Amino acid sequence: MGEQTFREGLEDVVVAESQICFIDGKKGRLIYRGYDIHDLATHSTFEEVVFLLWHGRLPKKSELDDLKAQLHRHQSLPEPVAKAMSSFPQSASPMEVLRTTVSLLSTYDAEAGETSRDANLRKAARLVAQLPTIVAAWEQLRHGRDPIAPRDDLSIAGNFLYMLFGEEPSPAHQRVFDTALILHADHELNASTFSARVTAATLSDLYSAITSAIGTLKGPLHGGANEQVMKMLLDIGEVDRAESWVKQALAEKKKIMGFGHRVYRTEDPRATHLRKMSEQMGKEAGDLKWYEISQAVERVVREEKGLYPNVDFYSASTYYSMGIPVDLFTPIFAVSRIAGWTAHVLEQYEHNRLIRPRAEYVGPQDLTYLPLDQR
């Protein structure tokens, strides 16, 4: 069919203009709405970043207070949705539950079909508030316990940890988890965000777009990568096994999860913070083993393959040291990325054009149809 004229996986193909997120892969920079991720991770809060992604500027105190109040109002799930969750089989994976419940939420939202920006902002706020509740509630339900009701005096990060563990988290745990939410809040046109924008571009509703995004995030090559990282660390088990384990895996041509990135050619700036957070949470837990194994794996992969860790690598040991179950790692990614997903859907609606790419056909042509009795 002639010379290839496309890029597999749309690598480096620009498909939209956006004011939300900028990645400089060569310099290892990540910018939300003009603000460097290092500044936001050091000084900001997740709620402030949500406002920034939606509105393109940092909030005034009154605006941030209003957003926090709105989020607190919507933390609890509609009663029929909570009841439906209690009927799900306990064997259902957390990502299956999250995907299904978000879709179900639209049927109990009176504004589900409203298309104005103000209505979509209100729906976005409900989703940011309710995703943490869904994930934490399922952790209780699948173990035969009643969900823990959210509190009105805690942040998104603090409330999630409270609903998950049943006790108020320490300031250190709250800050680490809040920072993790900031770091995962957006990442330009990653697979799940692109999926959300494709759905929104058909002028489908916000809930449908977010359901599409969750389904995309579920894959092990996207959001599921941090779960695979922790399974690898658990398989290694001890620091002194890390080097031989990695070298054997590389010799067998196995993929080492948590390394390399489609965009970054140097260290993922989010990994810089998560490495420190992994060490901090290890110290808090009185067990640095998972951080030390991660360090050993990073060293060997860097020496053998020249690859840098990405956001998934140190988030795994950070969450595990906090006592978070491994299969909640990807849903937690969604709890954060809902901020970016909703921002991108809002932007898509503002300047919409149906996203309809082409494929380069490489199959046969001019075949002759044969009747069934002649085949």
Side-chain angles (χ1 to χ4, degrees):
M1 293 299 294
E3 185 178 346
Q4 179 173 302
T5 58
F6 68 96
R7 301 293 295 271
E8 288 190 352
L10 296 180
E11 184 171 358
D12 294 331
V13 175
V14 175
V15 298
E17 289 185 342
S18 177
Q19 296 183 3
I20 297 170
C21 182
F22 172 66
I23 302 169
D24 187 331
K26 292 181 179 179
K27 295 181 180 179
R29 296 194 70 198
L30 173 61
I31 293 171
Y32 294 170
R33 296 282 195 177
Y35 292 90
D36 191 284
I37 193 64
H38 295 306
D39 286 340
L40 293 173
T42 303
H43 303 295
S44 191
T45 64
F46 180 59
E47 286 83 354
E48 193 172 39
V49 167
V50 169
F51 187 99
L52 171 67
L53 292 173
W54 288 349
H55 299 284
R57 60 180 177 82
L58 291 171
K60 299 175 182 178
K61 184 180 185 304
S62 60
E63 293 172 324
L64 184 58
D65 289 343
D66 287 345
L67 176 60
K68 289 178 179 178
Q70 187 179 13
L71 294 174
H72 283 142
R73 282 198 305 273
H74 296 301
Q75 289 177 121
S76 296
L77 301 176
E79 183 58 34
V81 174
K83 186 175 181 181
M85 284 186 66
S86 67
S87 70
F88 294 161
Q90 291 182 336
S91 60
S93 77
M95 280 301 285
E96 290 172 329
V97 169
L98 183 61
R99 181 194 61 212
T100 301
T101 306
V102 166
S103 183
L104 185 60
L105 280 172
S106 71
T107 64
Y108 295 97
D109 189 330
E111 293 187 297
E114 294 292 326
T115 59
S116 70
R117 177 174 170 83
D118 285 345
N120 280 323
L121 278 168
R122 290 190 293 270
K123 286 181 279 187
R126 287 194 276 275
L127 283 165
V128 168
Q130 291 171 345
L131 257 67
T133 305
I134 293 168
V135 176
W138 183 244
E139 175 62 13
Q140 305 302 335
L141 288 167
R142 68 174 174 169
H143 290 104
R145 302 186 294 261
D146 291 332
I148 297 169
R151 285 170 37 176
D152 292 337
D153 60 334
L154 294 173
S155 65
I156 290 286
N159 232 328
F160 176 77
L161 295 175
Y162 168 70
M163 292 186 291
L164 191 65
F165 297 118
E167 58 185 37
E168 185 171 337
S170 69
H173 277 70
Q174 289 191 61
R175 182 56 193 162
V176 162
F177 195 72
D178 191 67
T179 304
L181 295 180
I182 292 170
L183 294 172
H184 289 82
D186 194 61
H187 209 241
E188 199 222 40
L189 291 190
N190 57 87
S192 56
T193 298
F194 187 59
S195 179
R197 291 190 75 136
V198 169
T199 301
T202 69
L203 295 184
S204 189
D205 65 285
L206 181 67
Y207 285 99
S208 294
I210 300 308
T211 302
S212 296
I214 293 171
T216 306
L217 187 73
K218 185 175 179 288
L221 293 184
H222 189 12
N226 52 13
E227 293 185 27
Q228 299 304 314
V229 169
M230 197 62 226
K231 290 175 182 177
M232 174 185 70
L233 298 179
L234 290 166
D235 191 33
I236 294 171
E238 299 295 338
V239 178
D240 58 9
R241 292 190 65 233
E243 183 168 351
S244 60
W245 192 99
V246 173
K247 287 185 175 180
Q248 181 178 346
L250 291 173
E252 296 173 357
K253 307 296 184 184
K254 293 181 179 178
K255 181 176 176 61
I256 308 296
M257 301 301 289
F259 287 89
H261 197 278
R262 180 68 70 83
V263 179
Y264 294 112
R265 297 298 175 260
T266 183
E267 177 162 292
D268 184 330
R270 301 167 297 177
T272 306
H273 292 273
L274 285 159
R275 184 187 291 105
K276 297 174 184 176
M277 291 156 59
S278 171
E279 182 179 18
Q280 181 185 353
M281 290 297 94
K283 288 179 177 177
E284 287 263 337
D287 183 4
L288 279 167
K289 179 170 74 170
W290 306 113
Y291 168 73
E292 291 171 349
I293 294 175
S294 300
Q295 285 266 281
V297 171
E298 179 185 1
R299 176 182 57 80
V300 178
V301 172
R302 185 83 180 93
E303 291 172 354
E304 297 291 322
K305 301 294 290 183
L307 295 175
Y308 295 89
N310 58 38
V311 70
D312 300 303
F313 187 67
Y314 279 102
S315 65
S317 51
T318 299
Y319 295 154
Y320 195 78
S321 294
M322 295 175 74
I324 296 172
V326 174
D327 64 355
L328 293 190
F329 291 3
T330 308
I332 286 171
F333 200 143
V335 165
S336 168
R337 190 55 60 82
I338 186 63
W341 288 337
T342 48
H344 278 271
V345 170
L346 289 166
E347 186 178 65
Q348 184 67 40
Y349 286 148
E350 290 292 320
H351 306 284
N352 190 57
R353 180 173 171 80
L354 181 68
I355 298 173
R356 203 296 189 189
R358 295 290 307 277
E360 183 165 339
Y361 179 71
V362 294
Q365 298 186 42
D366 302 321
L367 298 180
T368 300
Y369 179 84
L370 293 175
L372 186 60
D373 60 2
Q374 297 180 29
R375 296 176 211 162

